[in-house]
């Protein structure tokens, strides 16, 4: 019951707010690219921040990610017993880790063939456009 209620209440958030945040972040990165071509100063500022603030930012980003729908399964599994919940957690972890490892391996093999100097100078534009496109696609497909 809680999972179904959360799904109804979060649908508007995941349909409008999350894609809008992605698009806004994309425009921010494109703007930053034209104001400053290298993000070295920003990286130095990031590493000067306390670790708990960085961790909280990552946790918040993960909470707002599209994987939020799995929470409903965990809520439903809680009524069936701990073994169902553990099974879902193990299955979810196995699928996620396998997918991540395969994609990282493929990306690594492909990245060995790239001209990194050119990509570095256009990192802000690439990141910004990727975020904007992801936000727009997410809005129309979610």
């Amino acid at each position: 019951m809680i999972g179904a209620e959360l799904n109804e209440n979060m649908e508007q958030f995941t349909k409008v707010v999350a894609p809008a945040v992605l698009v806004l972040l994309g425009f921010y990165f494109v703007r930053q690219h034209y104001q400053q071509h290298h993000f070295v100063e920003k990286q130095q500022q990031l590493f000067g921040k306390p670790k708990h603030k960085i961790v909280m930012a990552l946790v918040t980003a993960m909470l707002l990610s599209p994987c939020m729908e799995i929470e409903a399964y965990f809520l439903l599994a809680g009524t069936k017993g701990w073994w169902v919940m553990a099974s879902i957690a193990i299955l979810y972890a196995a699928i996620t880790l396998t997918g991540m490892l395969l994609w990282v391996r493929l990306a690594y093999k492909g990245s060995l063939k790239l001209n990194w100097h050119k990509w570095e100078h256009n990192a802000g534009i690439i990141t910004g456009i990727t975020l904007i496109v992801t936000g727009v696609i997410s809005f129309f497909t979610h």
Side-chain angles (χ1 to χ4, degrees), residues 14-75:
T14 57
K15 177 138 179 77
V16 177
V17 176
V21 169
L22 287 172
V23 170
L24 290 173
L25 280 172
F27 282 121
Y28 171 77
F29 273 95
V30 171
R31 189 181 123 250
Q32 283 295 103
H33 174 78
Y34 286 110
Q35 287 183 347
Q36 166 184 342
H37 290 286
H38 295 284
F39 292 96
V40 175
E41 290 177 20
K42 296 291 180 187
Q43 288 174 353
Q44 289 171 350
Q45 288 176 2
L46 176 66
F47 292 122
K49 294 192 183 288
K51 287 186 181 184
H52 73 278
K53 286 188 178 184
I54 295 172
V55 170
M56 284 306 296
L58 289 173
V59 168
T60 303
M62 288 174 63
L63 177 69
L64 299 176
S65 74
C67 299
M68 228 170 17
E69 287 81 9
I70 194 71
E71 293 171 2
Y73 289 113
F74 280 109
L75 288 171

Side-chain angles (χ1 to χ4, degrees), residues 51-135:
K51 287 186 181 184
H52 73 278
K53 286 188 178 184
I54 295 172
V55 170
M56 284 306 296
L58 289 173
V59 168
T60 303
M62 288 174 63
L63 177 69
L64 299 176
S65 74
C67 299
M68 228 170 17
E69 287 81 9
I70 194 71
E71 293 171 2
Y73 289 113
F74 280 109
L75 288 171
L76 290 173
T79 63
K80 303 293 184 193
W82 69 268
W83 61 273
V84 175
M85 211 155 103
S87 298
I88 290 175
I90 290 168
L91 181 65
Y92 183 67
I95 291 171
T96 300
L97 289 173
T98 302
M100 286 179 173
L101 290 172
L102 286 173
W103 280 113
V104 167
R105 179 72 176 160
L106 287 171
Y108 176 72
K109 286 291 194 179
S111 71
L112 294 175
K113 301 174 185 174
L114 294 176
N115 176 2
W116 285 106
H117 185 72
K118 179 181 175 183
W119 286 89
E120 178 187 1
H121 285 287
N122 294 311
I125 293 175
I126 294 166
T127 303
I129 290 173
T130 302
L131 287 170
I132 292 168
V133 169
T134 303

